[in-house]
Amino acid sequence: SAVISQKPSRDICQRGTSLTIQCQVDSQVTMMFWYRQQPGQSLTLIATANQGSEATYESGFVIDKFPISRPNLTFSTLTVSNMSPEDSSIYLCSVPVVAGGQETQYFGPGTRLLVL
Amino acid sequence: AQKITQTQPGMFVQEKEAVTLDCTYDTSDPSYGLFWYKQPSSGEMIFLIYQGSYDQQNATEGRYSLNFQKARKSANLVISASQLGDSAMYFCAMRAFYNTDKLIFGTGTRLQVFP
């Protein structure tokens, strides 16, 4: 398994500001993912954080709005830039783990963001 | 296109009874993985069970089992002996190995267990 921590766990921000969310994994992993869960909705992938190269963004998400860093194999950050109330969501990082032939994907505890 | 469908927005079950949460999927990839997650009100995503497309037997993890019917493209989650603490949102997700590493999630089912 993998133990994943996220900071902050929650925040309330003013529109127009930016927030950087940190994700720390207790082991080295090749891929890290960032998801968004808007209120009452399912999870949507924002981007894949690649170590040593630029993040790969999903349709509808752009680097200027959600810049991502991946300085090493255990850490990543997601910044939510120029926030608006529509950015109010839970943001989760996740990592795929394969052990004993079984695959899974573990999630961090999430960051609850409220934009006023 | 890959898609996960959960048709039950909400389910009720009495404590100690079994409940089945439905999940159907669509993919053209021959190799894929199916996951179930539990999300309590705290918001964390808790991994429950995994089924690979080539696995011959249905996956089981404690009180959780996955009823995998490949021909029907369904991967229903069965929770036996429900407990009050099972009340949560449940998400079915799929990863298609050849296309992408990302997980595609269904819309979720809210399960409420009553005494």
Side-chain angles (χ1 to χ4, degrees):
Chain A
S1 66
V3 178
I4 306 171
S5 60
Q6 284 186 235
K7 290 181 181 179
S9 59
R10 58 178 63 233
D11 207 342
I12 301 174
C13 301
Q14 297 296 321
R15 67 174 68 205
T17 62
S18 298
L19 176 72
T20 295
I21 302 167
Q22 299 179 5
C23 178
Q24 179 76 52
V25 187
D26 68 341
S27 58
Q28 293 185 339
V29 292
T30 305
M31 309 193 75
M32 295 177 74
F33 301 100
W34 285 99
Y35 288 83
R36 179 177 76 179
Q37 186 179 26
Q38 294 177 301
Q41 303 295 315
S42 186
L43 280 73
T44 301
L45 182 66
I46 298 172
T48 303
N50 306 306
Q51 198 274 331
S53 63
E54 283 192 0
T56 306
Y57 289 83
E58 297 297 306
S59 175
F61 298 96
V62 295
I63 187 171
D64 289 345
K65 176 66 176 178
F66 298 100
I68 287 171
S69 77
R70 181 84 195 275
N72 56 55
L73 293 175
T74 64
F75 185 79
S76 177
T77 67
L78 169 76
T79 298
V80 187
S81 303
N82 188 23
M83 288 184 285
S84 67
E86 292 71 33
D87 294 319
S88 298
S89 298
I90 300 175
Y91 292 86
L92 302 107
C93 65
S94 73
V95 299
V97 173
V98 178
Q102 172 164 313
E103 174 183 341
T104 190
Q105 195 163 126
Y106 291 101
F107 284 81
T111 296
R112 286 181 181 268
L113 172 61
L114 176 63
V115 184
L116 302 178
Chain B
Q2 295 155 332
K3 187 177 181 181
I4 290 281
T5 301
Q6 295 180 255
T7 58
Q8 306 157 313
M11 289 284 286
F12 288 89
V13 65
Q14 191 168 27
E15 198 176 9
K16 301 180 183 178
E17 296 294 311
V19 63
T20 298
L21 306 183
D22 294 341
C23 173
T24 58
Y25 61 91
D26 189 19
T27 180
S28 57
D29 290 326
S31 180
Y32 51 89
L34 296 158
F35 304 78
W36 276 92
Y37 288 88
K38 172 184 178 181
Q39 187 178 44
S41 57
S42 60
E44 58 185 316
M45 292 290 286
I46 302 170
F47 167 73
L48 296 178
I49 198 166
Y50 166 83
Q51 179 84 43
S53 59
Y54 293 122
D55 293 343
Q56 296 297 314
Q57 295 186 337
N58 289 343
T60 60
E61 288 286 348
R63 294 187 298 111
Y64 305 107
S65 61
L66 201 151
N67 184 3
F68 182 45
Q69 298 189 40
K70 197 170 182 177
R72 295 186 177 183
K73 293 190 174 180
S74 73
N76 299 337
L77 176 71
V78 180
I79 304 174
S80 62
S82 297
Q83 302 172 355
L84 296 178
D86 293 335
S87 295
M89 280 292 289
Y90 289 81
F91 290 97
C92 180
M94 176 176 67
R95 169 177 151 152
F97 296 116
Y98 293 129
N99 187 22
T100 176
D101 291 328
K102 70 180 181 181
L103 291 184
I104 300 169
F105 284 83
T107 51
T109 296
R110 180 169 297 281
L111 176 66
Q112 296 192 49
V113 182
F114 59 94

